[in-house]
Each structure stands twice: as structure tokens, then as C-alpha cells.
Amino acid sequence: MKLTRRDFLIKGTALLASLGLRGPMIFAEDGSALPSTSIDDANVESPVLVVIQLSGGNDGINTLIPYGMGGYFDARPTLKITQNEVLAINNEVGFHPSLIQLNELYKSGRVAVVQGVGYPNPDHSHFRSMEIWQTAEPEKMIRSGWLARYVESSLSQSVNPLKVLKIGNNANKAFISDTVNVPVIQSIESFNIFDPKTPKPDQNRLAAAFLDMYDPFRQGTQVKVTCEQGKDAFQSVEALHNLSNTYQNKVEYPKTNISKDLQLAAKMLAGKSGTRVFYLEIGGFDDHANEKEQQARVLKQLDEGLGAFYKDLEAQGLQDRVITMAFSEFGRRVKENSSGGTDHGTAAPMFIIGGKVKGGLYGIQPSLTNLDKGGDLKYEVDFRSVYYTVVDSWLQGDARSVLGKTYEKINFI
């Protein structure tokens, strides 16, 4: 098949749009794959962080339910979870009844619940600055995501193109950076440049043209960044398709998107991808109306996915290498609204899960009656303290560079 420049541009553009500047697998003329991009062996046995964002602003008050605190039942006449429904931790707080697996993990000492996590000057917005901060040097006004800064400060020597991954459909603000390119993966099978039916010699010629076009040493300085992204793209797809096929499916996962994404993380870890951070999202938490049924449904999906994931990690012998951090961008208001939902609020709990986690309750549950001027919870723990602890104590990274200054650590690792 003769390949014209127009053919390449159309197919290449489709690749970049669908994979976010992630590149092709390349084959030799005999159809065999060329030598794979190397995986940094130093990362293969390193601690791993799985981040799960509960997108939309999860109602933390009805997730870790303060059923024993004054004001809860009065503020939520229709949204309240009754005492006999709560999966009680103590006589003050307990889990939502949908969180059966999380409750069992908590009982086994593998869940740390950090209560009342918030941030200064909240704006109650989906597009807020929780993941992005100015650096410690105000005159520079550099803004980038916290995980991008972790890569820049602590993984700069790693040549592994899969060292951090976003699993799902879209990129995330936590990885915003001028220098860090993060692969966005939905599945191993779909992370390709070519239709599998395309003859391999044609795939090879297209890939060679791609690499030539994105060669940073052959292009001008004005497009160097784009060329580097193209090169990173090529390496990430090549490395992904050359993972060892050692994963054995020993656990049945529910047929939900979050479960599929968690299983992909387990599969890649079993295949020795060397990935240090996986970032996942589960949506459906923007409950301005009809919250009771909607939140119960989505929390159940999260709970069942986490239960399967940790059973799978244990079956793969990975339970002590992985911690999961589940959080939402913001919480909800204490009082329910007239539509059977809650509006955007402030503080909410964060959950840290894993074999090396010191389980228990951390921080203080905010008062439901002593609220701020806007009628919201007063946060008790700065979310940057949680991030600082995770980067420093678990990922063994340069937490001060990531956060811009030192924050108090929490003893959950």
C-alpha cells in the first residue's frame, strides 16, 4: 500500500487526538516487534500509589456519617442515614451502608480515614485550585499539578515511559505541567496507533514517518516540545505492549468502569510496568437533587471495585506494595436543599487503603453546628498534609518540592 503524506497526517492526527500525544507500536519488516522501550528496573518493586478521585464533589457527610453528632438528623430530614443503617466505626461516626467492603478492610486495619480534610479559601468549584499551587517563590508564579511536580522532582531520572499513568478517558489537573507527559489509557488493547488489521509493513512505514516527523534533533526549537511529546508517545505505547503477560485473573470484578480501571492497574503491576502512580476517576457525585439513591449507587460501585482490587492484589502478592488514596475535589453543605440533594461545600473525609497503612481514624470530625460564615464545615486537616505524607512517607519523594513547603505529616503509613 502506498502511503501519502495526507494518509500519514490523517492517521497521525487521529492518533494524537485519541491518545493525547501517545505514539505508535513499531514493527520490523518481518512483522516482529522491535526491541521494547526499557522499563526502569528500579521502579518495578517500588511503592505504588493509586489515586481515585470521586468526581463531582462527593457528600462526605453521608459517606463517613456523623450519626452520633448533634445537628445531623435535623439538617437532613430526608437524606439522613438512620443509626441502624450506619456501618458504625464508633458511637459517633460510621460508613455509608453501601461501603460494605471498605468497612471490612477497615476492620482488618487496612484503612485510614482522615476526617475533615479541606483547604484554605475554598471556592466550591469543580475547576478549583486543589491540584494546582503556586510555587514557594511567588515571583515565579509557576503553576503545575502536584503529581507533575512529584515526577519532576523525584522521578526525573527514570526512563520508564509508564512511570505515571492516568487510567480513563481524560487527562487530570494533577498532571498539569510544561515538561511532564502522562499517558492516558483506557485499556491495553485500545492503546494503539493502527487498526490491528493494518499490514505490519505498513504499520512500520507509518511509524517510521511518525518518528521522523517528531525527531526533536531534526526540528527547530519552536516545535521541540511537540517533538518530545511525540517521542514520549511512541515509547509509552511500545512499553505498554511489551509488558510481561504474567497476570492471572483470580478474582471476579464487577462489570463497572471503576472496576475495569482498577483491574487494569492490577494487570499492569503484575506485568511489571514499573508504574509509581495510577490516577483513576469515578463520576456521578454531583448530587444537587435525588442524592440518596444516586450516591448509594455510585458508592456501591466504588466499594465493590475496591473490594475486588484488594483481593486481586493479595492474590498477586502485591498487597503490601500498593496504597490507594480516595478523595473528592470538595464536600457538600451540611443542610440538604429543597431538591433532595446537597450543594457544594467544603471539608470531607479522605481514605487511605493498603497493607502497609496504619488503619484508624485520623483528625477530628468537623462540627455540624459550628459552621463558617458561609454555613459550611470548618476543615480540620489541610489536604496538603495528606499529600505531603503520601509523597514523603510512602512514595519516598521530595515532598517539600511537591508542596512548596513543609506540612505536618499524619502517621497513617
Side-chain angles (χ1 to χ4, degrees):
M1 179 177 74
K2 183 178 179 180
L3 299 173
T4 66
R5 178 177 175 81
R6 180 176 182 276
D7 290 330
F8 172 74
L9 290 175
I10 291 173
K11 294 178 181 180
T13 301
L15 162 75
L16 301 182
S18 63
L19 298 183
L21 280 176
R22 308 297 166 228
M25 180 77 172
I26 188 167
F27 295 88
E29 290 295 337
D30 64 0
S32 61
L34 292 179
S36 64
T37 300
S38 64
I39 297 283
D40 185 357
D41 290 337
N43 279 343
V44 170
E45 300 300 326
S46 298
V48 175
L49 171 66
V50 176
V51 180
I52 303 179
Q53 179 175 318
L54 314 183
S55 296
N58 177 46
D59 180 8
I61 295 172
N62 265 20
T63 302
L64 182 69
I65 301 163
Y67 73 98
M69 296 182 66
Y72 173 69
F73 294 103
D74 292 337
R76 300 188 167 208
T78 64
L79 288 184
K80 64 180 181 291
I81 306 295
T82 61
Q83 183 172 346
N84 64 340
E85 293 176 297
V86 174
L87 302 175
I89 292 175
N90 55 30
N91 60 5
E92 189 172 86
V93 298
F95 292 115
H96 187 284
S98 290
L99 298 176
I100 297 171
Q101 301 292 327
L102 188 65
N103 186 46
E104 291 301 313
L105 287 166
Y106 182 87
K107 288 179 180 178
S108 69
R110 289 180 283 175
V111 179
V113 181
V114 187
Q115 304 174 99
V117 181
Y119 52 97
N121 304 314
D123 59 14
H124 307 86
S125 171
H126 293 290
F127 188 76
R128 63 182 183 80
S129 59
M130 180 171 179
E131 306 296 348
I132 310 170
W133 304 290
Q134 183 177 298
T135 64
E137 303 176 72
E139 68 277 6
K140 290 189 176 181
M141 295 298 289
I142 299 172
R143 290 164 61 85
S144 58
W146 72 285
L147 286 174
R149 289 199 299 280
Y150 163 66
V151 176
E152 292 166 345
S153 64
S154 304
L155 299 183
S156 60
Q157 301 303 310
S158 173
V159 298
N160 184 355
L162 304 177
K163 55 182 172 283
V164 291
L165 294 173
K166 172 65 170 65
I167 297 180
N169 298 320
N170 302 301
N172 187 277
K173 297 195 298 293
F175 293 116
I176 287 178
S177 170
D178 291 334
T179 61
V180 174
N181 300 309
V182 178
V184 180
I185 298 173
Q186 294 180 11
S187 70
I188 294 176
E189 295 74 21
S190 66
F191 198 64
N192 292 296
I193 180 173
F194 306 120
D195 186 320
K197 296 179 182 178
T198 303
K200 288 180 179 176
D202 292 336
Q203 293 183 30
N204 187 49
R205 282 186 283 170
L206 276 171
F210 179 93
L211 289 176
D212 182 66
M213 178 176 287
Y214 286 91
D215 184 352
F217 297 104
R218 298 186 60 181
Q219 306 293 344
T221 56
Q222 292 180 330
V223 294
K224 185 176 180 180
V225 172
T226 300
C227 291
E228 291 289 348
Q229 290 176 329
K231 183 184 71 174
D232 292 345
F234 175 85
Q235 292 176 339
S236 64
V237 172
E238 188 183 36
L240 186 68
H241 283 276
N242 282 280
L243 293 179
S244 62
N245 187 22
T246 59
Y247 178 77
Q248 295 182 1
N249 189 0
K250 300 178 180 180
V251 174
E252 183 177 353
Y253 281 79
K255 298 186 183 303
T256 60
N257 288 335
I258 188 62
S259 291
K260 174 179 67 68
D261 293 345
L262 284 166
Q263 187 175 27
L264 175 57
K267 184 182 296 186
M268 294 188 66
L269 287 172
K272 300 188 182 302
S273 67
T275 306
R276 299 299 307 280
V277 178
F278 296 90
Y279 202 107
L280 291 65
E281 295 184 51
I282 175 172
F285 288 102
D286 196 13
D287 297 323
H288 291 279
N290 304 317
E291 177 183 307
K292 197 163 190 178
E293 296 77 15
Q294 171 72 2
Q295 189 194 31
R297 180 181 63 81
V298 185
L299 284 179
K300 183 178 180 181
Q301 292 179 8
L302 172 67
D303 183 71
E304 291 178 343
L306 284 171
F309 181 56
Y310 274 90
K311 289 175 184 175
D312 199 0
L313 290 179
E314 190 168 359
Q316 307 293 335
L318 298 169
Q319 67 273 15
D320 290 339
R321 281 194 53 217
V322 180
I323 69 167
T324 299
M325 181 176 73
F327 78 103
S328 196
E329 311 100 302
F330 49 85
R332 316 294 289 195
R333 292 188 181 275
V334 177
K335 291 185 177 181
E336 65 179 66
N337 61 31
S338 60
S339 300
T342 51
D343 297 323
H344 294 183
T346 53
M350 294 177 69
F351 304 98
I352 315 295
I353 310 161
K356 292 294 186 179
V357 167
K358 295 179 182 178
L361 292 173
Y362 294 83
I364 300 171
Q365 178 65 30
S367 170
L368 302 181
T369 55
N370 181 20
L371 306 176
D372 65 17
K373 293 180 181 179
D376 286 315
L377 297 174
K378 295 179 180 179
Y379 78 92
E380 298 288 345
V381 177
D382 192 314
F383 69 91
R384 289 167 291 188
S385 289
V386 182
Y387 288 2
Y388 194 97
T389 304
V390 168
V391 174
D392 183 82
S393 299
W394 180 249
L395 291 175
Q396 301 165 11
D398 184 354
R400 198 177 193 284
S401 293
V402 173
L403 278 301
K405 65 179 184 179
T406 301
Y407 287 85
E408 181 181 0
K409 290 203 297 184
I410 307 169
N411 192 34
F412 54 68
I413 299 297

